[in-house]
Amino acid sequence: MSAAAGHLRVEGLRIATRRHGQPLELVRGIDLDIRRGQVTALVGASGSGKSLTCLALQGLMPPGVECLDGRVLLDGREVAPATLRGRQVATVMQAPRSAFNPVLTMAAHARETLAARGITGSDAERRILAALAETGLAEPERVLRLHAFQMSGGMLQRMMLALALMSEAPFLLADEPTTDLDLVLQAQVLALIERLAVSRDLGVLLVTHDMGVVARLADHVAVMDHGRIVETGTAADIFASPRAAPTRALVAAHLALYPEEEVAP
Ligand SMILES: Nc1ncnc2c1ncn2[C@@H]1O[C@H](COP(=O)(O)OP(=O)(O)O)[C@@H](O)[C@H]1O
Ligand SMILES: [Mg+2]
């Protein structure tokens, strides 16, 4: 394999749909950087364009939505984003169930992920068990026989992370990975992402609307509002001196909930 990339960037991303016959821009020309060894949080109100941005980074667009413009760069070189999936970029999504093929077992998903990298046989089996252990999936032999519908949301998120590890992709896109989980599982999955990001030196894009998660995990923050990035900075800067109105609103809402918390992470 070639040397792992260290910098994933999207530049001038514009995404649009048509509403009532008129073009409507949903993402209005954004730039975003994800660097290895750092967690970049993409925050903003619901509908601000975070998930579409994540999808564009994977070369995916939902039906009825079109990517008008934008380049994805890997270490400064333009690449077709669809070629990054599973190789350079792994993902964890809000609704993990939909990321799994309902007729395949977890073992089949895992083997497929490794086969894409030319790893099969006993080497594959060894790596599968190691990844499941690393993500805290107990009883791996049993888990590997399950289908997605037989697993809880928390187990599926762990399995997504295990597949991300098997892919050895240097970048992880996590789109609201804990939204559908209960509080205990949220904390566990976040701790897991944090640990894996450090141990594997991943570049993580963490989409969230939870500033508590930002305070805990993020190095850098980009704030999105109505399809634009209205503020970027270190997490410490964003909490200490938010400038844009949407950032101030997010920080104020967080501090209203957790007034006793330290403002700087
Ligand atoms: N398939 C789609 N067709 C039309 N509009 C869409 C589609 N998917 C998302 N949108 C619109 O694009 C905007 C941004 O969506 P999204 O990226 O999902 O927001 P976020 O993840 O920040 O909550 C929203 O206004 C949403 O309604
Ligand atoms: Mg979203």
Side-chain angles (χ1 to χ4, degrees), residues 6-29:
H7 179 197
L8 180 65
R9 173 176 169 80
V10 61
E11 227 171 57
L13 180 65
R14 287 172 58 224
I15 299 173
T17 188
R18 292 187 78 79
R19 211 164 275 175
H20 311 300
Q22 299 297 316
L24 173 69
E25 226 169 294
L26 303 169
V27 174
R28 301 160 184 257

Side-chain angles (χ1 to χ4, degrees), residues 117-200:
R117 298 177 46 222
I119 299 166
T120 55
S122 59
D123 189 15
E125 301 309 309
R126 190 179 52 74
R127 287 170 189 250
I128 291 168
L129 292 177
L132 265 63
E134 207 171 336
T135 51
L137 279 162
E139 300 183 78
E141 282 84 6
R142 187 178 68 83
V143 171
L144 288 168
R145 284 196 298 270
L146 299 178
H147 295 78
F149 72 88
Q150 297 168 304
M151 295 165 68
S152 68
M155 278 176 95
L156 289 168
Q157 280 311 36
R158 283 178 204 276
M159 191 66 206
M160 288 289 294
L161 284 164
L163 292 172
L165 288 179
M166 289 174 219
S167 77
E168 289 193 7
F171 299 101
L172 177 68
L173 308 180
D175 188 357
E176 311 232 16
T178 61
T179 302
D180 289 350
L181 305 179
D182 68 43
L183 283 176
V184 173
L185 276 173
Q186 281 185 19
Q188 288 178 0
V189 168
L190 284 173
L192 181 58
I193 290 175
E194 188 173 23
R195 197 155 48 71
L196 298 179
V198 172
S199 68
R200 300 294 183 105

Side-chain angles (χ1 to χ4, degrees), residues 45-52 54 94 175-176 207 209:
S46 179
S48 54
K50 305 180 299 296
S51 291
L52 288 177
C54 266
Q94 177 173 348
D175 188 357
E176 311 232 16
V207 176
H209 54 243

Side-chain angles (χ1 to χ4, degrees), residues 65-79:
V65 179
E66 193 187 355
C67 190
L68 299 179
D69 207 355
R71 310 195 304 152
V72 174
L73 305 167
L74 196 63
D75 288 342
R77 210 165 31 84
E78 186 167 0
V79 289

